PDB file of all heavy atoms in Angstrom:
ATOM      1  N   GLN A 297      96.667-109.994  76.042  1.00  0.00           N
ATOM      2  CA  GLN A 297      95.399-109.332  75.641  1.00  0.00           C
ATOM      3  C   GLN A 297      95.218-109.431  74.132  1.00  0.00           C
ATOM      4  O   GLN A 297      95.966-108.741  73.413  1.00  0.00           O
ATOM      5  CB  GLN A 297      95.322-107.911  76.144  1.00  0.00           C
ATOM      6  CG  GLN A 297      94.024-107.173  75.905  1.00  0.00           C
ATOM      7  CD  GLN A 297      93.995-105.815  76.617  1.00  0.00           C
ATOM      8  OE1 GLN A 297      95.024-105.099  76.652  1.00  0.00           O
ATOM      9  NE2 GLN A 297      92.803-105.462  77.101  1.00  0.00           N
ATOM     10  N   TYR A 317     103.637-121.738  87.125  1.00  0.00           N
ATOM     11  CA  TYR A 317     102.273-122.121  86.747  1.00  0.00           C
ATOM     12  C   TYR A 317     101.958-121.656  85.320  1.00  0.00           C
ATOM     13  O   TYR A 317     102.539-120.602  84.885  1.00  0.00           O
ATOM     14  CB  TYR A 317     101.251-121.519  87.648  1.00  0.00           C
ATOM     15  CG  TYR A 317     101.288-121.958  89.089  1.00  0.00           C
ATOM     16  CD1 TYR A 317     101.635-121.087  90.142  1.00  0.00           C
ATOM     17  CD2 TYR A 317     101.011-123.281  89.460  1.00  0.00           C
ATOM     18  CE1 TYR A 317     101.698-121.429  91.431  1.00  0.00           C
ATOM     19  CE2 TYR A 317     101.043-123.707  90.767  1.00  0.00           C
ATOM     20  CZ  TYR A 317     101.370-122.758  91.748  1.00  0.00           C
ATOM     21  OH  TYR A 317     101.453-123.193  93.058  1.00  0.00           O
ATOM     22  N   TYR A 353     102.069-108.835  78.087  1.00  0.00           N
ATOM     23  CA  TYR A 353     102.615-107.905  79.074  1.00  0.00           C
ATOM     24  C   TYR A 353     103.367-108.717  80.152  1.00  0.00           C
ATOM     25  O   TYR A 353     102.915-109.807  80.538  1.00  0.00           O
ATOM     26  CB  TYR A 353     101.458-107.215  79.851  1.00  0.00           C
ATOM     27  CG  TYR A 353     100.656-106.301  79.004  1.00  0.00           C
ATOM     28  CD1 TYR A 353      99.351-106.687  78.544  1.00  0.00           C
ATOM     29  CD2 TYR A 353     101.071-104.961  78.719  1.00  0.00           C
ATOM     30  CE1 TYR A 353      98.584-105.820  77.847  1.00  0.00           C
ATOM     31  CE2 TYR A 353     100.263-104.141  77.963  1.00  0.00           C
ATOM     32  CZ  TYR A 353      99.050-104.551  77.510  1.00  0.00           C
ATOM     33  OH  TYR A 353      98.252-103.693  76.763  1.00  0.00           O
ATOM     34  N   TYR A 361      99.745-108.048 100.912  1.00  0.00           N
ATOM     35  CA  TYR A 361      98.286-108.186 100.676  1.00  0.00           C
ATOM     36  C   TYR A 361      97.993-109.274  99.646  1.00  0.00           C
ATOM     37  O   TYR A 361      97.079-109.149  98.856  1.00  0.00           O
ATOM     38  CB  TYR A 361      97.697-106.836 100.276  1.00  0.00           C
ATOM     39  CG  TYR A 361      97.129-106.110 101.500  1.00  0.00           C
ATOM     40  CD1 TYR A 361      97.904-105.108 102.132  1.00  0.00           C
ATOM     41  CD2 TYR A 361      95.890-106.380 102.034  1.00  0.00           C
ATOM     42  CE1 TYR A 361      97.444-104.468 103.194  1.00  0.00           C
ATOM     43  CE2 TYR A 361      95.420-105.748 103.153  1.00  0.00           C
ATOM     44  CZ  TYR A 361      96.228-104.767 103.718  1.00  0.00           C
ATOM     45  OH  TYR A 361      95.723-104.094 104.841  1.00  0.00           O
ATOM     46  N   SER A 363      96.977-113.278  98.647  1.00  0.00           N
ATOM     47  CA  SER A 363      96.213-114.392  99.202  1.00  0.00           C
ATOM     48  C   SER A 363      97.187-115.445  99.672  1.00  0.00           C
ATOM     49  O   SER A 363      98.394-115.301  99.591  1.00  0.00           O
ATOM     50  CB  SER A 363      95.286-114.970  98.157  1.00  0.00           C
ATOM     51  OG  SER A 363      95.971-115.723  97.190  1.00  0.00           O
ATOM     52  N   THR A 365      97.797-118.107  98.268  1.00  0.00           N
ATOM     53  CA  THR A 365      98.408-118.837  97.148  1.00  0.00           C
ATOM     54  C   THR A 365      98.951-117.901  96.071  1.00  0.00           C
ATOM     55  O   THR A 365      99.873-118.331  95.322  1.00  0.00           O
ATOM     56  CB  THR A 365      97.396-119.744  96.474  1.00  0.00           C
ATOM     57  OG1 THR A 365      96.292-118.966  96.041  1.00  0.00           O
ATOM     58  CG2 THR A 365      96.855-120.758  97.499  1.00  0.00           C
ATOM     59  N   SER A 366      98.456-116.752  95.906  1.00  0.00           N
ATOM     60  CA  SER A 366      98.865-115.889  94.772  1.00  0.00           C
ATOM     61  C   SER A 366      98.744-114.458  95.063  1.00  0.00           C
ATOM     62  O   SER A 366      98.285-114.056  96.176  1.00  0.00           O
ATOM     63  CB  SER A 366      97.995-116.286  93.534  1.00  0.00           C
ATOM     64  OG  SER A 366      96.644-116.175  93.831  1.00  0.00           O
ATOM     65  N   SER A 369      99.336-108.158  90.384  1.00  0.00           N
ATOM     66  CA  SER A 369     100.510-107.535  89.830  1.00  0.00           C
ATOM     67  C   SER A 369     100.425-105.987  90.015  1.00  0.00           C
ATOM     68  O   SER A 369      99.383-105.399  89.767  1.00  0.00           O
ATOM     69  CB  SER A 369     100.564-107.809  88.298  1.00  0.00           C
ATOM     70  OG  SER A 369     100.766-109.164  88.055  1.00  0.00           O
ATOM     71  N   GLY A 373     104.603-103.794  82.236  1.00  0.00           N
ATOM     72  CA  GLY A 373     105.327-103.237  81.104  1.00  0.00           C
ATOM     73  C   GLY A 373     104.331-102.727  80.027  1.00  0.00           C
ATOM     74  O   GLY A 373     103.132-102.857  80.244  1.00  0.00           O
TER      75      GLY A 373
ATOM     76  N   PHE B 104      91.970-102.804  87.871  1.00  0.00           N
ATOM     77  CA  PHE B 104      92.957-102.167  86.987  1.00  0.00           C
ATOM     78  C   PHE B 104      92.243-101.200  86.050  1.00  0.00           C
ATOM     79  O   PHE B 104      91.136-101.511  85.569  1.00  0.00           O
ATOM     80  CB  PHE B 104      93.746-103.206  86.196  1.00  0.00           C
ATOM     81  CG  PHE B 104      94.502-104.196  87.032  1.00  0.00           C
ATOM     82  CD1 PHE B 104      93.933-105.386  87.432  1.00  0.00           C
ATOM     83  CD2 PHE B 104      95.813-103.959  87.372  1.00  0.00           C
ATOM     84  CE1 PHE B 104      94.666-106.256  88.226  1.00  0.00           C
ATOM     85  CE2 PHE B 104      96.564-104.819  88.196  1.00  0.00           C
ATOM     86  CZ  PHE B 104      95.948-105.975  88.592  1.00  0.00           C
ATOM     87  N   GLN B 106      92.727 -99.294  82.353  1.00  0.00           N
ATOM     88  CA  GLN B 106      93.452 -99.404  81.125  1.00  0.00           C
ATOM     89  C   GLN B 106      92.977 -98.311  80.115  1.00  0.00           C
ATOM     90  O   GLN B 106      91.821 -98.351  79.701  1.00  0.00           O
ATOM     91  CB  GLN B 106      93.420-100.779  80.509  1.00  0.00           C
ATOM     92  CG  GLN B 106      94.334-100.944  79.264  1.00  0.00           C
ATOM     93  CD  GLN B 106      94.317-102.331  78.709  1.00  0.00           C
ATOM     94  OE1 GLN B 106      93.297-103.058  78.823  1.00  0.00           O
ATOM     95  NE2 GLN B 106      95.404-102.747  78.080  1.00  0.00           N
ATOM     96  N   ALA B 111      99.229 -99.914  78.883  1.00  0.00           N
ATOM     97  CA  ALA B 111      99.117-101.170  79.748  1.00  0.00           C
ATOM     98  C   ALA B 111      98.150-100.918  80.877  1.00  0.00           C
ATOM     99  O   ALA B 111      97.865 -99.711  81.253  1.00  0.00           O
ATOM    100  CB  ALA B 111     100.515-101.449  80.295  1.00  0.00           C
ATOM    101  N   TYR B 117      93.553-102.962  95.380  1.00  0.00           N
ATOM    102  CA  TYR B 117      93.821-104.332  95.727  1.00  0.00           C
ATOM    103  C   TYR B 117      93.164-104.622  97.066  1.00  0.00           C
ATOM    104  O   TYR B 117      92.725-103.688  97.804  1.00  0.00           O
ATOM    105  CB  TYR B 117      95.318-104.581  95.764  1.00  0.00           C
ATOM    106  CG  TYR B 117      96.103-103.786  96.749  1.00  0.00           C
ATOM    107  CD1 TYR B 117      96.311-104.205  98.041  1.00  0.00           C
ATOM    108  CD2 TYR B 117      96.629-102.562  96.344  1.00  0.00           C
ATOM    109  CE1 TYR B 117      96.966-103.388  98.954  1.00  0.00           C
ATOM    110  CE2 TYR B 117      97.341-101.746  97.256  1.00  0.00           C
ATOM    111  CZ  TYR B 117      97.506-102.165  98.558  1.00  0.00           C
ATOM    112  OH  TYR B 117      98.200-101.390  99.413  1.00  0.00           O
ATOM    113  N   ILE B 121      91.505-101.292  98.927  1.00  0.00           N
ATOM    114  CA  ILE B 121      92.704-100.518  99.290  1.00  0.00           C
ATOM    115  C   ILE B 121      93.256 -99.863  98.014  1.00  0.00           C
ATOM    116  O   ILE B 121      93.605-100.547  97.004  1.00  0.00           O
ATOM    117  CB  ILE B 121      93.807-101.421  99.839  1.00  0.00           C
ATOM    118  CG1 ILE B 121      93.256-102.130 101.076  1.00  0.00           C
ATOM    119  CG2 ILE B 121      95.019-100.580 100.254  1.00  0.00           C
ATOM    120  CD1 ILE B 121      94.145-103.236 101.623  1.00  0.00           C
ATOM    121  N   TYR B 159      92.716-112.984  92.710  1.00  0.00           N
ATOM    122  CA  TYR B 159      93.967-113.631  92.998  1.00  0.00           C
ATOM    123  C   TYR B 159      93.851-114.575  94.226  1.00  0.00           C
ATOM    124  O   TYR B 159      94.765-114.733  94.982  1.00  0.00           O
ATOM    125  CB  TYR B 159      95.142-112.622  93.170  1.00  0.00           C
ATOM    126  CG  TYR B 159      94.901-111.538  94.167  1.00  0.00           C
ATOM    127  CD1 TYR B 159      95.366-111.630  95.481  1.00  0.00           C
ATOM    128  CD2 TYR B 159      94.229-110.362  93.794  1.00  0.00           C
ATOM    129  CE1 TYR B 159      95.169-110.602  96.392  1.00  0.00           C
ATOM    130  CE2 TYR B 159      94.052-109.339  94.707  1.00  0.00           C
ATOM    131  CZ  TYR B 159      94.503-109.463  95.997  1.00  0.00           C
ATOM    132  OH  TYR B 159      94.278-108.486  96.917  1.00  0.00           O
ATOM    133  N   HIS B 160      92.689-115.148  94.291  1.00  0.00           N
ATOM    134  CA  HIS B 160      92.378-116.066  95.416  1.00  0.00           C
ATOM    135  C   HIS B 160      92.937-117.464  95.104  1.00  0.00           C
ATOM    136  O   HIS B 160      93.399-118.181  96.049  1.00  0.00           O
ATOM    137  CB  HIS B 160      90.886-116.106  95.639  1.00  0.00           C
ATOM    138  CG  HIS B 160      90.443-116.872  96.840  1.00  0.00           C
ATOM    139  ND1 HIS B 160      90.705-116.468  98.102  1.00  0.00           N
ATOM    140  CD2 HIS B 160      89.759-118.076  96.936  1.00  0.00           C
ATOM    141  CE1 HIS B 160      90.179-117.378  98.973  1.00  0.00           C
ATOM    142  NE2 HIS B 160      89.598-118.338  98.260  1.00  0.00           N
ATOM    143  N   TRP B 162      94.624-120.227  91.773  1.00  0.00           N
ATOM    144  CA  TRP B 162      95.058-120.448  90.420  1.00  0.00           C
ATOM    145  C   TRP B 162      94.037-121.170  89.634  1.00  0.00           C
ATOM    146  O   TRP B 162      93.391-122.085  90.218  1.00  0.00           O
ATOM    147  CB  TRP B 162      96.383-121.265  90.452  1.00  0.00           C
ATOM    148  CG  TRP B 162      97.498-120.566  91.154  1.00  0.00           C
ATOM    149  CD1 TRP B 162      97.956-120.871  92.402  1.00  0.00           C
ATOM    150  CD2 TRP B 162      98.292-119.480  90.683  1.00  0.00           C
ATOM    151  NE1 TRP B 162      99.010-120.013  92.731  1.00  0.00           N
ATOM    152  CE2 TRP B 162      99.193-119.130  91.670  1.00  0.00           C
ATOM    153  CE3 TRP B 162      98.296-118.714  89.466  1.00  0.00           C
ATOM    154  CZ2 TRP B 162     100.112-118.109  91.544  1.00  0.00           C
ATOM    155  CZ3 TRP B 162      99.226-117.708  89.358  1.00  0.00           C
ATOM    156  CH2 TRP B 162     100.112-117.414  90.356  1.00  0.00           C
ATOM    157  N   LEU B 164      94.752-117.437  87.960  1.00  0.00           N
ATOM    158  CA  LEU B 164      94.281-116.097  88.123  1.00  0.00           C
ATOM    159  C   LEU B 164      93.301-115.785  86.969  1.00  0.00           C
ATOM    160  O   LEU B 164      93.544-116.145  85.817  1.00  0.00           O
ATOM    161  CB  LEU B 164      95.415-115.059  88.151  1.00  0.00           C
ATOM    162  CG  LEU B 164      96.533-115.330  89.124  1.00  0.00           C
ATOM    163  CD1 LEU B 164      97.530-114.149  89.088  1.00  0.00           C
ATOM    164  CD2 LEU B 164      96.039-115.551  90.490  1.00  0.00           C
ATOM    165  N   PHE B 166      90.493-112.819  85.113  1.00  0.00           N
ATOM    166  CA  PHE B 166      90.012-111.467  84.982  1.00  0.00           C
ATOM    167  C   PHE B 166      88.533-111.441  84.496  1.00  0.00           C
ATOM    168  O   PHE B 166      88.096-112.404  83.868  1.00  0.00           O
ATOM    169  CB  PHE B 166      90.809-110.731  83.896  1.00  0.00           C
ATOM    170  CG  PHE B 166      92.215-110.439  84.270  1.00  0.00           C
ATOM    171  CD1 PHE B 166      93.235-111.380  83.971  1.00  0.00           C
ATOM    172  CD2 PHE B 166      92.608-109.249  84.857  1.00  0.00           C
ATOM    173  CE1 PHE B 166      94.558-111.147  84.267  1.00  0.00           C
ATOM    174  CE2 PHE B 166      93.951-108.982  85.134  1.00  0.00           C
ATOM    175  CZ  PHE B 166      94.950-109.967  84.874  1.00  0.00           C
TER     176      PHE B 166
END
Side-chain angles (χ1 to χ4, degrees):
Chain A
Q297 186 171 36
Y317 297 113
Y353 297 102
Y361 267 96
S363 73
T365 60
S366 54
S369 296
Chain B
F104 298 90
Q106 186 177 28
Y117 59 90
I121 304 169
Y159 53 94
H160 186 69
W162 298 103
L164 307 186
F166 292 88

